[in-house]
Amino acid sequence: LSKMDLVSSTPTLFNSGTNHSQMSSCYLNTVGDSLTGIFKLYSDCAQLSKWAGGIGTDWTPVRSTGSKIHGTNGMSQGVIPFIKIFNDVALAVNQGGKRKGAMVAYMEIWHADFEQFLELRKNTGDERRRAHDINTAAWIPDLFMTRLYNNEDWTFFCPAEVPELHDLVGNEFKLKYEAYEKDESINKKTQKASEVWRKLLTMLFETGHPWITFKDVCNIRSPQDHVGVVHSSNLCTEITLNTSSEETAVCNLASLNMAHMIVDGKLDEAKIEKTVATGIRMLDNVIDNNFYPTAES
């Protein structure tokens, strides 16, 4: 550490050795489709942000605009107003007064509010439906890319009517998605996949968002696929870990200074081996000694 061969992550530098030694970098969570679930998420994110965690939240489960609210028999306003509050939580609860709160919202591309989701970072339009202080990311299954390449249609659903899609990947997702497309009892809207992609790329050029991340690739390569599903990445899109209502994923980071691993133009294998081994041991200590702000984490 003193030679800068390896550098701990910012939360580790902020908080190790304090009364609340929250040393982890990133937290990944998902939200329940109810007022209780949504406002619990705000509370959880506030705690995680307070102690310097960056947050990636999967918003796919929240029902879309116009869906039925069974408790009141009314119509839902959809997910966008709730992501707006998520944005305001990131502003209100910064990282221990040391740096800005940092959060990203993920949404699967089949969600009926996805087109509104694309506009969250736009600099024009209704400010009540904008979120300028968080990042956004599209969570895209392979099926969408196949439809795009083949110039086919894409179908949007309300997650409350197609609950299985959130947890399915690969061929199982494809079969269920196609079955829902044929189900006349389910509300849906259809658009050319190329039109959806064009709008996504237009927003990407205009605002830098949404980030493009791939659901099937992340899950097929997940070493934890026997115990759950990866629903999103994290704040910086380099971590993919399982999340559920019972589990908020936690990642612990350190940076290797590769410039210090080169001697006379060649990789110093002995030095990098020693540095990495020491760094991994240190990260194991972070896991054991960490202060975790929520029970799920």
Side-chain angles (χ1 to χ4, degrees):
L1 287 171
S2 65
K3 294 173 186 171
M4 301 286 235
D5 292 340
L6 187 97
V7 182
S8 295
S9 68
T10 308
T12 307
L13 296 173
F14 278 169
N15 296 328
S16 53
T18 67
N19 290 335
H20 294 86
S21 55
Q22 195 302 106
M23 298 177 279
S24 297
S25 299
C26 305
Y27 292 85
L28 291 71
N29 54 16
T30 187
V31 62
D33 183 29
S34 67
L35 271 185
T36 305
I38 292 167
F39 278 82
K40 181 185 185 306
L41 178 96
Y42 297 146
S43 175
D44 288 353
C45 288
Q47 291 298 327
L48 299 172
S49 184
K50 175 183 177 180
W51 302 110
I55 299 161
T57 297
D58 158 40
W59 281 92
T60 303
V62 178
R63 72 194 68 186
S64 60
T65 306
S67 297
K68 186 176 180 180
I69 303 170
H70 295 288
T72 64
N73 209 29
M75 304 268 275
S76 170
Q77 292 192 78
V79 69
I80 301 303
F82 293 114
I83 297 180
K84 167 68 173 166
I85 299 172
F86 179 69
N87 177 90
D88 295 342
V89 170
L91 275 179
V93 188
N94 63 17
Q95 297 188 13
K98 296 185 175 83
R99 63 176 179 177
K100 284 182 178 180
M103 302 181 188
V104 55
Y106 284 79
M107 182 182 281
E108 291 202 46
I109 200 167
W110 51 262
H111 193 292
D113 284 348
F114 185 77
E115 287 186 282
Q116 297 176 58
F117 177 79
L118 289 177
E119 297 184 341
L120 278 168
R121 292 286 303 236
K122 270 188 87 168
N123 292 315
T124 56
D126 186 351
E127 279 299 306
R128 292 168 298 181
R129 301 185 74 80
R130 298 290 178 264
H132 299 297
D133 307 286
I134 58 167
N135 301 303
T136 60
W139 194 238
I140 301 175
D142 287 351
L143 181 62
F144 174 80
M145 301 307 291
T146 303
R147 297 272 181 99
L148 176 64
Y149 283 127
N150 295 334
N151 196 28
E152 294 172 338
D153 289 340
W154 184 247
T155 307
F156 296 97
F157 301 100
C158 172
E161 292 191 88
V162 292
E164 294 95 338
L165 292 185
H166 186 234
D167 283 333
L168 292 178
V169 297
N171 196 50
E172 290 181 346
F173 173 89
K174 178 178 181 288
L175 293 173
K176 198 70 181 175
Y177 182 90
E178 290 171 346
Y180 281 135
E181 284 185 305
K182 293 170 186 166
D183 188 337
E184 297 295 330
S185 68
I186 292 175
N187 292 311
K188 57 183 85 73
K189 61 179 180 180
T190 303
Q191 211 175 337
K192 278 283 190 191
S194 58
E195 289 178 18
V196 181
W197 188 243
R198 185 177 290 110
K199 180 161 188 178
L200 186 152
L201 293 182
T202 301
M203 287 296 102
L204 188 62
F205 280 120
E206 190 175 319
T207 68
H209 294 84
W211 300 338
I212 298 173
T213 56
F214 294 99
K215 176 182 184 176
D216 289 327
V217 174
C218 292
N219 277 282
I220 289 165
R221 287 162 177 76
S222 169
Q224 284 87 36
D225 60 353
H226 59 294
V227 287
V229 178
V230 180
H231 292 117
S232 71
S233 185
N234 65 323
L235 177 68
C236 313
T237 66
E238 89 281 24
I239 301 298
T240 52
L241 295 167
N242 304 342
T243 55
S244 68
S245 56
E246 293 82 37
E247 182 174 25
T248 292
V250 186
C251 65
N252 309 287
L253 302 178
S255 297
L256 189 66
N257 188 346
M258 289 302 294
H260 286 198
M261 302 298 128
I262 306 297
V263 177
D264 297 329
K266 293 183 179 178
L267 183 67
D268 186 339
E269 293 187 17
K271 183 174 183 181
I272 194 171
E273 184 177 344
K274 180 176 184 291
T275 307
V276 168
T278 306
I280 293 295
R281 181 70 172 84
M282 184 172 71
L283 289 172
D284 284 343
N285 287 346
V286 165
I287 294 169
D288 291 340
N289 298 327
N290 208 41
F291 165 70
Y292 295 95
T294 65
E296 290 79 9
S297 59

